[in-house]
Amino acid sequence: PLLWTEADVALWLQYIGEGGLTSCFDVINGVLLINLDEEQLTNLGVTNVSSRKKLMVAIKEVKERSQKV
């Protein structure tokens, strides 16, 4: 994830079923992704609470996997 480009993040969003949010993440790469918090997701335009919660869980999983490598 640390080497993910913006395009990789877009693919990941599709993989987790949140592809509709791709435009909110158009400047987010892997390093930025794993450091996002819920407030930053809101600022990016993720207004749906359940989407934010789902993203926070998925981001945590990605972050944990990146630290094991």
Side-chain angles (χ1 to χ4, degrees):
L2 296 176
L3 300 178
W4 285 4
T5 65
E6 292 84 353
D8 294 324
V9 172
L11 288 173
W12 173 79
L13 286 167
Q14 292 176 6
Y15 175 76
I16 66 167
E18 294 292 344
L21 296 173
T22 303
S23 63
C24 296
F25 286 76
D26 61 352
V27 296
I28 303 297
N29 62 25
V31 172
L32 294 173
L33 177 73
I34 64 171
N35 289 295
L36 289 174
D37 61 28
E38 198 164 347
E39 181 180 350
Q40 291 168 322
L41 289 175
T42 302
N43 292 339
L44 285 170
V46 183
T47 57
N48 183 286
V49 174
S50 62
S51 290
R52 281 198 309 271
K53 298 293 183 191
K54 180 179 180 180
L55 283 165
M56 289 307 302
V57 169
I59 289 168
K60 181 181 176 191
E61 291 172 356
V62 168
K63 187 173 188 175
E64 288 172 354
R65 278 186 295 179
S66 73
Q67 291 172 345
K68 290 180 182 178
V69 176

Tab-separated table of all heavy atoms in Angstrom:
chain	number	residue	atom	x	y	z
A	1	PRO	N	0.792	-1.213	0.000
A	1	PRO	CA	0.000	0.000	0.000
A	1	PRO	C	0.834	1.276	0.000
A	1	PRO	O	0.391	2.278	-0.507
A	1	PRO	CB	-0.831	-0.100	1.277
A	1	PRO	CG	-0.871	-1.557	1.596
A	1	PRO	CD	0.378	-2.113	1.054
A	2	LEU	N	2.029	1.220	0.566
A	2	LEU	CA	2.853	2.418	0.614
A	2	LEU	C	3.262	2.888	-0.772
A	2	LEU	O	3.538	4.060	-0.968
A	2	LEU	CB	4.086	2.186	1.473
A	2	LEU	CG	3.812	1.918	2.962
A	2	LEU	CD1	5.113	1.606	3.687
A	2	LEU	CD2	3.099	3.089	3.604
A	3	LEU	N	3.284	1.984	-1.721
A	3	LEU	CA	3.679	2.324	-3.089
A	3	LEU	C	2.474	2.530	-4.005
A	3	LEU	O	2.643	2.755	-5.203
A	3	LEU	CB	4.588	1.228	-3.661
A	3	LEU	CG	5.894	0.982	-2.902
A	3	LEU	CD1	6.674	-0.161	-3.534
A	3	LEU	CD2	6.744	2.237	-2.842
A	4	TRP	N	1.272	2.454	-3.458
A	4	TRP	CA	0.069	2.617	-4.277
A	4	TRP	C	-0.016	4.021	-4.856
A	4	TRP	O	0.237	5.003	-4.177
A	4	TRP	CB	-1.179	2.376	-3.454
A	4	TRP	CG	-1.481	0.941	-3.133
A	4	TRP	CD1	-0.723	-0.149	-3.436
A	4	TRP	CD2	-2.614	0.452	-2.433
A	4	TRP	NE1	-1.318	-1.279	-2.966
A	4	TRP	CE2	-2.474	-0.946	-2.348
A	4	TRP	CE3	-3.718	1.062	-1.862
A	4	TRP	CZ2	-3.435	-1.743	-1.716
A	4	TRP	CZ3	-4.668	0.269	-1.239
A	4	TRP	CH2	-4.521	-1.125	-1.172
A	5	THR	N	-0.382	4.073	-6.123
A	5	THR	CA	-0.656	5.346	-6.791
A	5	THR	C	-2.139	5.689	-6.582
A	5	THR	O	-2.902	4.889	-6.023
A	5	THR	CB	-0.386	5.227	-8.296
A	5	THR	OG1	-1.325	4.282	-8.841
A	5	THR	CG2	1.036	4.787	-8.587
A	6	GLU	N	-2.533	6.832	-7.082
A	6	GLU	CA	-3.933	7.221	-7.032
A	6	GLU	C	-4.800	6.204	-7.775
A	6	GLU	O	-5.907	5.883	-7.350
A	6	GLU	CB	-4.130	8.620	-7.620
A	6	GLU	CG	-3.516	9.740	-6.795
A	6	GLU	CD	-2.024	9.976	-7.047
A	6	GLU	OE1	-1.379	9.190	-7.780
A	6	GLU	OE2	-1.500	10.961	-6.501
A	7	ALA	N	-4.283	5.667	-8.878
A	7	ALA	CA	-5.018	4.654	-9.649
A	7	ALA	C	-5.176	3.365	-8.846
A	7	ALA	O	-6.220	2.713	-8.907
A	7	ALA	CB	-4.304	4.380	-10.974
A	8	ASP	N	-4.153	2.990	-8.093
A	8	ASP	CA	-4.241	1.802	-7.243
A	8	ASP	C	-5.300	1.984	-6.162
A	8	ASP	O	-6.046	1.050	-5.843
A	8	ASP	CB	-2.891	1.501	-6.583
A	8	ASP	CG	-1.820	1.108	-7.577
A	8	ASP	OD1	-2.139	0.422	-8.571
A	8	ASP	OD2	-0.654	1.504	-7.361
A	9	VAL	N	-5.366	3.175	-5.587
A	9	VAL	CA	-6.390	3.470	-4.571
A	9	VAL	C	-7.775	3.368	-5.197
A	9	VAL	O	-8.695	2.808	-4.595
A	9	VAL	CB	-6.147	4.852	-3.915
A	9	VAL	CG1	-7.319	5.237	-3.020
A	9	VAL	CG2	-4.844	4.851	-3.120
A	10	ALA	N	-7.928	3.851	-6.414
A	10	ALA	CA	-9.214	3.753	-7.112
A	10	ALA	C	-9.613	2.293	-7.317
A	10	ALA	O	-10.781	1.920	-7.107
A	10	ALA	CB	-9.149	4.492	-8.450
A	11	LEU	N	-8.655	1.453	-7.689
A	11	LEU	CA	-8.931	0.015	-7.856
A	11	LEU	C	-9.325	-0.621	-6.526
A	11	LEU	O	-10.234	-1.450	-6.464
A	11	LEU	CB	-7.714	-0.700	-8.442
A	11	LEU	CG	-7.406	-0.418	-9.898
A	11	LEU	CD1	-6.077	-1.048	-10.295
A	11	LEU	CD2	-8.530	-0.940	-10.780
A	12	TRP	N	-8.641	-0.227	-5.466
A	12	TRP	CA	-8.949	-0.741	-4.132
A	12	TRP	C	-10.365	-0.348	-3.721
A	12	TRP	O	-11.104	-1.166	-3.170
A	12	TRP	CB	-7.904	-0.230	-3.136
A	12	TRP	CG	-8.199	-0.543	-1.714
A	12	TRP	CD1	-8.005	-1.740	-1.079
A	12	TRP	CD2	-8.742	0.345	-0.722
A	12	TRP	NE1	-8.388	-1.655	0.230
A	12	TRP	CE2	-8.848	-0.380	0.473
A	12	TRP	CE3	-9.136	1.679	-0.747
A	12	TRP	CZ2	-9.338	0.192	1.647
A	12	TRP	CZ3	-9.626	2.243	0.421
A	12	TRP	CH2	-9.723	1.506	1.596
A	13	LEU	N	-10.754	0.896	-3.996
A	13	LEU	CA	-12.107	1.338	-3.680
A	13	LEU	C	-13.140	0.481	-4.398
A	13	LEU	O	-14.164	0.101	-3.811
A	13	LEU	CB	-12.301	2.811	-4.055
A	13	LEU	CG	-11.625	3.828	-3.141
A	13	LEU	CD1	-11.616	5.204	-3.801
A	13	LEU	CD2	-12.312	3.887	-1.783
A	14	GLN	N	-12.883	0.155	-5.651
A	14	GLN	CA	-13.789	-0.719	-6.392
A	14	GLN	C	-13.819	-2.107	-5.757
A	14	GLN	O	-14.887	-2.705	-5.598
A	14	GLN	CB	-13.379	-0.794	-7.854
A	14	GLN	CG	-13.586	0.501	-8.594
A	14	GLN	CD	-13.079	0.453	-10.020
A	14	GLN	OE1	-12.666	-0.587	-10.520
A	14	GLN	NE2	-13.103	1.591	-10.685
A	15	TYR	N	-12.668	-2.614	-5.372
A	15	TYR	CA	-12.550	-3.944	-4.765
A	15	TYR	C	-13.382	-4.050	-3.493
A	15	TYR	O	-14.014	-5.078	-3.240
A	15	TYR	CB	-11.076	-4.253	-4.484
A	15	TYR	CG	-10.850	-5.538	-3.756
A	15	TYR	CD1	-10.941	-6.761	-4.413
A	15	TYR	CD2	-10.543	-5.543	-2.397
A	15	TYR	CE1	-10.742	-7.953	-3.739
A	15	TYR	CE2	-10.341	-6.727	-1.710
A	15	TYR	CZ	-10.445	-7.930	-2.389
A	15	TYR	OH	-10.256	-9.113	-1.709
A	16	ILE	N	-13.399	-2.997	-2.676
A	16	ILE	CA	-14.149	-3.048	-1.416
A	16	ILE	C	-15.606	-2.604	-1.589
A	16	ILE	O	-16.333	-2.490	-0.613
A	16	ILE	CB	-13.462	-2.240	-0.290
A	16	ILE	CG1	-13.440	-0.732	-0.601
A	16	ILE	CG2	-12.087	-2.786	-0.003
A	16	ILE	CD1	-13.061	0.127	0.593
A	17	GLY	N	-16.015	-2.348	-2.830
A	17	GLY	CA	-17.396	-2.005	-3.097
A	17	GLY	C	-17.736	-0.532	-2.920
A	17	GLY	O	-18.896	-0.176	-2.778
A	18	GLU	N	-16.720	0.311	-2.943
A	18	GLU	CA	-16.937	1.753	-2.786
A	18	GLU	C	-16.417	2.526	-4.000
A	18	GLU	O	-15.939	3.646	-3.883
A	18	GLU	CB	-16.264	2.261	-1.506
A	18	GLU	CG	-16.862	1.718	-0.219
A	18	GLU	CD	-18.273	2.221	0.071
A	18	GLU	OE1	-18.708	3.225	-0.534
A	18	GLU	OE2	-18.949	1.609	0.928
A	19	GLY	N	-16.523	1.921	-5.167
A	19	GLY	CA	-16.040	2.545	-6.389
A	19	GLY	C	-16.695	3.876	-6.707
A	19	GLY	O	-16.117	4.714	-7.388
A	20	GLY	N	-17.894	4.093	-6.189
A	20	GLY	CA	-18.580	5.354	-6.406
A	20	GLY	C	-17.894	6.539	-5.738
A	20	GLY	O	-18.194	7.688	-6.036
A	21	LEU	N	-16.957	6.243	-4.855
A	21	LEU	CA	-16.231	7.298	-4.142
A	21	LEU	C	-14.904	7.662	-4.803
A	21	LEU	O	-14.164	8.496	-4.292
A	21	LEU	CB	-15.975	6.872	-2.695
A	21	LEU	CG	-17.212	6.667	-1.834
A	21	LEU	CD1	-16.822	6.083	-0.483
A	21	LEU	CD2	-17.951	7.979	-1.653
A	22	THR	N	-14.615	7.056	-5.930
A	22	THR	CA	-13.327	7.265	-6.593
A	22	THR	C	-12.999	8.735	-6.795
A	22	THR	O	-11.864	9.163	-6.564
A	22	THR	CB	-13.297	6.516	-7.943
A	22	THR	OG1	-13.547	5.131	-7.691
A	22	THR	CG2	-11.957	6.656	-8.621
A	23	SER	N	-13.991	9.525	-7.183
A	23	SER	CA	-13.715	10.938	-7.444
A	23	SER	C	-13.310	11.687	-6.172
A	23	SER	O	-12.574	12.670	-6.236
A	23	SER	CB	-14.918	11.616	-8.087
A	23	SER	OG	-16.028	11.591	-7.207
A	24	CYS	N	-13.756	11.212	-5.011
A	24	CYS	CA	-13.361	11.844	-3.741
A	24	CYS	C	-11.884	11.581	-3.424
A	24	CYS	O	-11.266	12.326	-2.667
A	24	CYS	CB	-14.207	11.302	-2.591
A	24	CYS	SG	-15.959	11.678	-2.699
A	25	PHE	N	-11.342	10.514	-3.999
A	25	PHE	CA	-9.994	10.073	-3.670
A	25	PHE	C	-8.997	10.316	-4.799
A	25	PHE	O	-7.925	9.717	-4.818
A	25	PHE	CB	-10.015	8.570	-3.340
A	25	PHE	CG	-10.611	8.249	-2.006
A	25	PHE	CD1	-11.983	8.289	-1.808
A	25	PHE	CD2	-9.799	7.904	-0.940
A	25	PHE	CE1	-12.533	7.991	-0.580
A	25	PHE	CE2	-10.341	7.605	0.296
A	25	PHE	CZ	-11.710	7.655	0.482
A	26	ASP	N	-9.317	11.196	-5.728
A	26	ASP	CA	-8.484	11.351	-6.921
A	26	ASP	C	-7.075	11.864	-6.648
A	26	ASP	O	-6.204	11.742	-7.507
A	26	ASP	CB	-9.182	12.198	-7.985
A	26	ASP	CG	-9.507	13.604	-7.530
A	26	ASP	OD1	-9.335	13.908	-6.339
A	26	ASP	OD2	-9.939	14.402	-8.374
A	27	VAL	N	-6.806	12.392	-5.479
A	27	VAL	CA	-5.446	12.852	-5.140
A	27	VAL	C	-4.849	12.047	-3.985
A	27	VAL	O	-3.832	12.433	-3.416
A	27	VAL	CB	-5.417	14.355	-4.781
A	27	VAL	CG1	-5.814	15.196	-5.974
A	27	VAL	CG2	-6.303	14.648	-3.587
A	28	ILE	N	-5.475	10.910	-3.656
A	28	ILE	CA	-5.031	10.105	-2.519
A	28	ILE	C	-4.234	8.903	-3.013
A	28	ILE	O	-4.732	8.065	-3.752
A	28	ILE	CB	-6.241	9.629	-1.677
A	28	ILE	CG1	-7.070	10.810	-1.195
A	28	ILE	CG2	-5.787	8.760	-0.507
A	28	ILE	CD1	-6.354	11.766	-0.260
A	29	ASN	N	-2.979	8.826	-2.583
A	29	ASN	CA	-2.147	7.658	-2.884
A	29	ASN	C	-2.119	6.752	-1.652
A	29	ASN	O	-2.788	7.017	-0.653
A	29	ASN	CB	-0.743	8.076	-3.328
A	29	ASN	CG	0.004	8.845	-2.254
A	29	ASN	OD1	-0.261	8.725	-1.054
A	29	ASN	ND2	0.957	9.664	-2.661
A	30	GLY	N	-1.338	5.690	-1.699
A	30	GLY	CA	-1.313	4.729	-0.604
A	30	GLY	C	-0.851	5.299	0.718
A	30	GLY	O	-1.418	4.990	1.776
A	31	VAL	N	0.168	6.127	0.693
A	31	VAL	CA	0.685	6.721	1.932
A	31	VAL	C	-0.382	7.594	2.581
A	31	VAL	O	-0.613	7.526	3.795
A	31	VAL	CB	1.974	7.531	1.663
A	31	VAL	CG1	2.400	8.297	2.898
A	31	VAL	CG2	3.095	6.617	1.195
A	32	LEU	N	-1.040	8.407	1.780
A	32	LEU	CA	-2.102	9.258	2.315
A	32	LEU	C	-3.282	8.419	2.796
A	32	LEU	O	-3.864	8.703	3.850
A	32	LEU	CB	-2.561	10.270	1.263
A	32	LEU	CG	-1.520	11.320	0.855
A	32	LEU	CD1	-2.048	12.151	-0.303
A	32	LEU	CD2	-1.139	12.194	2.021
A	33	LEU	N	-3.616	7.375	2.040
A	33	LEU	CA	-4.756	6.528	2.383
A	33	LEU	C	-4.636	5.949	3.781
A	33	LEU	O	-5.564	6.039	4.583
A	33	LEU	CB	-4.903	5.396	1.358
A	33	LEU	CG	-6.016	4.397	1.653
A	33	LEU	CD1	-7.369	5.026	1.375
A	33	LEU	CD2	-5.833	3.132	0.837
A	34	ILE	N	-3.492	5.355	4.084
A	34	ILE	CA	-3.370	4.661	5.375
A	34	ILE	C	-3.278	5.622	6.553
A	34	ILE	O	-3.314	5.184	7.709
A	34	ILE	CB	-2.199	3.656	5.391
A	34	ILE	CG1	-0.861	4.355	5.219
A	34	ILE	CG2	-2.408	2.567	4.346
A	34	ILE	CD1	0.340	3.460	5.439
A	35	ASN	N	-3.197	6.907	6.278
A	35	ASN	CA	-3.146	7.890	7.352
A	35	ASN	C	-4.432	8.711	7.478
A	35	ASN	O	-4.501	9.630	8.295
A	35	ASN	CB	-1.944	8.820	7.159
A	35	ASN	CG	-0.647	8.083	7.423
A	35	ASN	OD1	-0.376	7.657	8.531
A	35	ASN	ND2	0.138	7.897	6.377
A	36	LEU	N	-5.451	8.376	6.681
A	36	LEU	CA	-6.709	9.103	6.752
A	36	LEU	C	-7.464	8.764	8.033
A	36	LEU	O	-7.432	7.630	8.502
A	36	LEU	CB	-7.600	8.753	5.561
A	36	LEU	CG	-7.187	9.289	4.198
A	36	LEU	CD1	-8.111	8.728	3.117
A	36	LEU	CD2	-7.201	10.805	4.183
A	37	ASP	N	-8.139	9.761	8.580
A	37	ASP	CA	-9.041	9.518	9.701
A	37	ASP	C	-10.462	9.859	9.250
A	37	ASP	O	-10.686	10.310	8.123
A	37	ASP	CB	-8.634	10.297	10.952
A	37	ASP	CG	-8.644	11.809	10.771
A	37	ASP	OD1	-9.410	12.325	9.931
A	37	ASP	OD2	-7.891	12.484	11.484
A	38	GLU	N	-11.426	9.631	10.131
A	38	GLU	CA	-12.823	9.806	9.746
A	38	GLU	C	-13.149	11.254	9.381
A	38	GLU	O	-13.897	11.518	8.438
A	38	GLU	CB	-13.740	9.314	10.864
A	38	GLU	CG	-15.141	9.069	10.400
A	38	GLU	CD	-15.972	8.233	11.348
A	38	GLU	OE1	-15.422	7.613	12.271
A	38	GLU	OE2	-17.194	8.224	11.147
A	39	GLU	N	-12.569	12.201	10.080
A	39	GLU	CA	-12.807	13.609	9.761
A	39	GLU	C	-12.277	13.953	8.376
A	39	GLU	O	-12.921	14.677	7.601
A	39	GLU	CB	-12.144	14.513	10.810
A	39	GLU	CG	-12.374	15.982	10.561
A	39	GLU	CD	-11.725	16.885	11.607
A	39	GLU	OE1	-11.248	16.385	12.634
A	39	GLU	OE2	-11.690	18.105	11.365
A	40	GLN	N	-11.104	13.422	8.039
A	40	GLN	CA	-10.543	13.676	6.718
A	40	GLN	C	-11.398	13.051	5.625
A	40	GLN	O	-11.536	13.622	4.544
A	40	GLN	CB	-9.106	13.169	6.653
A	40	GLN	CG	-8.165	13.991	7.515
A	40	GLN	CD	-6.820	13.335	7.699
A	40	GLN	OE1	-6.720	12.122	7.828
A	40	GLN	NE2	-5.775	14.147	7.718
A	41	LEU	N	-11.976	11.873	5.900
A	41	LEU	CA	-12.883	11.263	4.925
A	41	LEU	C	-14.076	12.170	4.669
A	41	LEU	O	-14.498	12.346	3.523
A	41	LEU	CB	-13.353	9.886	5.414
A	41	LEU	CG	-12.312	8.785	5.418
A	41	LEU	CD1	-12.887	7.521	6.048
A	41	LEU	CD2	-11.797	8.496	4.021
A	42	THR	N	-14.603	12.759	5.729
A	42	THR	CA	-15.712	13.698	5.578
A	42	THR	C	-15.284	14.886	4.722
A	42	THR	O	-16.002	15.305	3.814
A	42	THR	CB	-16.203	14.186	6.955
A	42	THR	OG1	-16.595	13.060	7.727
A	42	THR	CG2	-17.377	15.134	6.814
A	43	ASN	N	-14.099	15.407	5.003
A	43	ASN	CA	-13.589	16.544	4.238
A	43	ASN	C	-13.366	16.199	2.771
A	43	ASN	O	-13.465	17.075	1.904
A	43	ASN	CB	-12.294	17.077	4.855
A	43	ASN	CG	-12.516	17.718	6.209
A	43	ASN	OD1	-13.619	18.122	6.543
A	43	ASN	ND2	-11.469	17.785	6.999
A	44	LEU	N	-13.067	14.934	2.492
A	44	LEU	CA	-12.889	14.495	1.110
A	44	LEU	C	-14.221	14.362	0.374
A	44	LEU	O	-14.247	14.237	-0.844
A	44	LEU	CB	-12.147	13.156	1.057
A	44	LEU	CG	-10.654	13.201	1.342
A	44	LEU	CD1	-10.103	11.788	1.489
A	44	LEU	CD2	-9.922	13.946	0.231
A	45	GLY	N	-15.327	14.361	1.137
A	45	GLY	CA	-16.635	14.262	0.508
A	45	GLY	C	-17.360	12.960	0.770
A	45	GLY	O	-18.401	12.692	0.160
A	46	VAL	N	-16.831	12.128	1.663
A	46	VAL	CA	-17.512	10.883	2.024
A	46	VAL	C	-18.551	11.239	3.091
A	46	VAL	O	-18.250	11.271	4.283
A	46	VAL	CB	-16.523	9.817	2.542
A	46	VAL	CG1	-17.255	8.513	2.831
A	46	VAL	CG2	-15.399	9.594	1.534
A	47	THR	N	-19.766	11.532	2.646
A	47	THR	CA	-20.792	12.037	3.558
A	47	THR	C	-21.609	10.930	4.216
A	47	THR	O	-22.184	11.143	5.276
A	47	THR	CB	-21.745	12.996	2.819
A	47	THR	OG1	-22.312	12.301	1.698
A	47	THR	CG2	-20.999	14.227	2.325
A	48	ASN	N	-21.660	9.769	3.618
A	48	ASN	CA	-22.433	8.657	4.159
A	48	ASN	C	-21.686	8.027	5.337
A	48	ASN	O	-20.544	7.588	5.192
A	48	ASN	CB	-22.680	7.628	3.053
A	48	ASN	CG	-23.536	6.490	3.518
A	48	ASN	OD1	-23.080	5.636	4.262
A	48	ASN	ND2	-24.775	6.471	3.057
A	49	VAL	N	-22.344	7.991	6.491
A	49	VAL	CA	-21.701	7.486	7.707
A	49	VAL	C	-21.284	6.024	7.554
A	49	VAL	O	-20.175	5.648	7.939
A	49	VAL	CB	-22.635	7.654	8.936
A	49	VAL	CG1	-22.039	7.001	10.169
A	49	VAL	CG2	-22.915	9.121	9.188
A	50	SER	N	-22.130	5.196	6.978
A	50	SER	CA	-21.779	3.779	6.841
A	50	SER	C	-20.601	3.596	5.891
A	50	SER	O	-19.755	2.727	6.118
A	50	SER	CB	-22.985	2.947	6.397
A	50	SER	OG	-23.452	3.354	5.141
A	51	SER	N	-20.505	4.408	4.860
A	51	SER	CA	-19.342	4.339	3.963
A	51	SER	C	-18.069	4.735	4.703
A	51	SER	O	-17.026	4.106	4.537
A	51	SER	CB	-19.532	5.248	2.749
A	51	SER	OG	-20.514	4.739	1.891
A	52	ARG	N	-18.155	5.775	5.526
A	52	ARG	CA	-16.974	6.186	6.313
A	52	ARG	C	-16.537	5.084	7.252
A	52	ARG	O	-15.342	4.782	7.362
A	52	ARG	CB	-17.257	7.469	7.095
A	52	ARG	CG	-17.177	8.716	6.275
A	52	ARG	CD	-17.028	9.963	7.121
A	52	ARG	NE	-18.003	10.079	8.186
A	52	ARG	CZ	-19.193	10.665	8.068
A	52	ARG	NH1	-19.551	11.195	6.910
A	52	ARG	NH2	-20.009	10.746	9.092
A	53	LYS	N	-17.486	4.455	7.927
A	53	LYS	CA	-17.159	3.372	8.862
A	53	LYS	C	-16.526	2.201	8.113
A	53	LYS	O	-15.531	1.637	8.552
A	53	LYS	CB	-18.403	2.902	9.620
A	53	LYS	CG	-19.041	3.961	10.485
A	53	LYS	CD	-18.151	4.362	11.638
A	53	LYS	CE	-18.846	5.368	12.529
A	53	LYS	NZ	-17.986	5.975	13.501
A	54	LYS	N	-17.120	1.846	6.975
A	54	LYS	CA	-16.584	0.755	6.159
A	54	LYS	C	-15.164	1.075	5.694
A	54	LYS	O	-14.266	0.228	5.757
A	54	LYS	CB	-17.497	0.511	4.953
A	54	LYS	CG	-17.041	-0.591	4.043
A	54	LYS	CD	-18.030	-0.767	2.899
A	54	LYS	CE	-17.614	-1.864	1.955
A	54	LYS	NZ	-18.580	-2.032	0.862
A	55	LEU	N	-14.958	2.308	5.260
A	55	LEU	CA	-13.626	2.723	4.812
A	55	LEU	C	-12.621	2.696	5.955
A	55	LEU	O	-11.484	2.266	5.767
A	55	LEU	CB	-13.679	4.116	4.193
A	55	LEU	CG	-14.231	4.172	2.779
A	55	LEU	CD1	-14.576	5.598	2.402
A	55	LEU	CD2	-13.235	3.580	1.793
A	56	MET	N	-13.018	3.134	7.135
A	56	MET	CA	-12.092	3.138	8.266
A	56	MET	C	-11.644	1.721	8.610
A	56	MET	O	-10.462	1.483	8.880
A	56	MET	CB	-12.720	3.819	9.492
A	56	MET	CG	-12.862	5.321	9.357
A	56	MET	SD	-11.341	6.220	8.902
A	56	MET	CE	-10.234	5.749	10.217
A	57	VAL	N	-12.559	0.763	8.569
A	57	VAL	CA	-12.204	-0.636	8.825
A	57	VAL	C	-11.259	-1.142	7.738
A	57	VAL	O	-10.229	-1.774	8.025
A	57	VAL	CB	-13.477	-1.521	8.915
A	57	VAL	CG1	-13.116	-2.996	8.916
A	57	VAL	CG2	-14.277	-1.155	10.150
A	58	ALA	N	-11.590	-0.858	6.483
A	58	ALA	CA	-10.765	-1.324	5.367
A	58	ALA	C	-9.390	-0.660	5.380
A	58	ALA	O	-8.375	-1.317	5.106
A	58	ALA	CB	-11.478	-1.055	4.042
A	59	ILE	N	-9.326	0.618	5.710
A	59	ILE	CA	-8.045	1.326	5.786
A	59	ILE	C	-7.193	0.733	6.905
A	59	ILE	O	-5.988	0.528	6.737
A	59	ILE	CB	-8.261	2.843	5.988
A	59	ILE	CG1	-8.804	3.466	4.703
A	59	ILE	CG2	-6.966	3.536	6.412
A	59	ILE	CD1	-9.320	4.892	4.858
A	60	LYS	N	-7.825	0.424	8.035
A	60	LYS	CA	-7.093	-0.184	9.153
A	60	LYS	C	-6.489	-1.518	8.726
A	60	LYS	O	-5.337	-1.813	9.037
A	60	LYS	CB	-8.033	-0.382	10.338
A	60	LYS	CG	-7.363	-0.989	11.544
A	60	LYS	CD	-8.339	-1.182	12.685
A	60	LYS	CE	-7.637	-1.878	13.838
A	60	LYS	NZ	-8.559	-2.321	14.872
A	61	GLU	N	-7.256	-2.332	7.990
A	61	GLU	CA	-6.757	-3.622	7.513
A	61	GLU	C	-5.575	-3.437	6.560
A	61	GLU	O	-4.570	-4.153	6.660
A	61	GLU	CB	-7.876	-4.399	6.831
A	61	GLU	CG	-8.946	-4.873	7.787
A	61	GLU	CD	-10.144	-5.484	7.094
A	61	GLU	OE1	-10.207	-5.491	5.837
A	61	GLU	OE2	-11.049	-5.939	7.813
A	62	VAL	N	-5.687	-2.477	5.654
A	62	VAL	CA	-4.597	-2.213	4.710
A	62	VAL	C	-3.356	-1.739	5.463
A	62	VAL	O	-2.238	-2.170	5.180
A	62	VAL	CB	-5.031	-1.161	3.656
A	62	VAL	CG1	-3.858	-0.647	2.861
A	62	VAL	CG2	-6.075	-1.746	2.728
A	63	LYS	N	-3.557	-0.868	6.433
A	63	LYS	CA	-2.438	-0.340	7.216
A	63	LYS	C	-1.746	-1.468	7.982
A	63	LYS	O	-0.514	-1.545	8.004
A	63	LYS	CB	-2.942	0.735	8.175
A	63	LYS	CG	-1.843	1.460	8.903
A	63	LYS	CD	-2.415	2.613	9.709
A	63	LYS	CE	-1.316	3.457	10.293
A	63	LYS	NZ	-1.853	4.656	10.980
A	64	GLU	N	-2.516	-2.346	8.596
A	64	GLU	CA	-1.948	-3.456	9.353
A	64	GLU	C	-1.160	-4.397	8.436
A	64	GLU	O	-0.079	-4.858	8.793
A	64	GLU	CB	-3.042	-4.222	10.094
A	64	GLU	CG	-3.597	-3.445	11.270
A	64	GLU	CD	-4.805	-4.084	11.921
A	64	GLU	OE1	-5.314	-5.106	11.394
A	64	GLU	OE2	-5.265	-3.553	12.944
A	65	ARG	N	-1.701	-4.671	7.245
A	65	ARG	CA	-0.987	-5.530	6.291
A	65	ARG	C	0.314	-4.886	5.835
A	65	ARG	O	1.319	-5.560	5.658
A	65	ARG	CB	-1.858	-5.850	5.077
A	65	ARG	CG	-2.816	-6.979	5.319
A	65	ARG	CD	-3.520	-7.338	4.060
A	65	ARG	NE	-4.349	-6.176	3.690
A	65	ARG	CZ	-5.093	-6.121	2.614
A	65	ARG	NH1	-5.105	-7.083	1.762
A	65	ARG	NH2	-5.803	-5.036	2.377
A	66	SER	N	0.306	-3.565	5.661
A	66	SER	CA	1.514	-2.891	5.186
A	66	SER	C	2.602	-2.903	6.246
A	66	SER	O	3.791	-2.863	5.920
A	66	SER	CB	1.202	-1.442	4.772
A	66	SER	OG	0.973	-0.625	5.887
A	67	GLN	N	2.224	-2.962	7.502
A	67	GLN	CA	3.222	-2.966	8.579
A	67	GLN	C	3.828	-4.346	8.780
A	67	GLN	O	4.885	-4.480	9.365
A	67	GLN	CB	2.572	-2.480	9.885
A	67	GLN	CG	2.219	-1.011	9.810
A	67	GLN	CD	1.408	-0.529	11.002
A	67	GLN	OE1	0.857	-1.319	11.766
A	67	GLN	NE2	1.314	0.781	11.152
A	68	LYS	N	3.163	-5.401	8.271
A	68	LYS	CA	3.678	-6.772	8.400
A	68	LYS	C	4.713	-7.082	7.332
A	68	LYS	O	5.452	-8.033	7.448
A	68	LYS	CB	2.533	-7.778	8.299
A	68	LYS	CG	1.622	-7.741	9.498
A	68	LYS	CD	0.518	-8.756	9.351
A	68	LYS	CE	-0.428	-8.678	10.527
A	68	LYS	NZ	-1.535	-9.642	10.376
A	69	VAL	N	4.761	-6.288	6.280
A	69	VAL	CA	5.665	-6.567	5.159
A	69	VAL	C	7.068	-6.123	5.464
A	69	VAL	O	7.370	-5.285	6.204
A	69	VAL	CB	5.161	-5.864	3.867
A	69	VAL	CG1	6.137	-6.054	2.735
A	69	VAL	CG2	3.792	-6.387	3.509
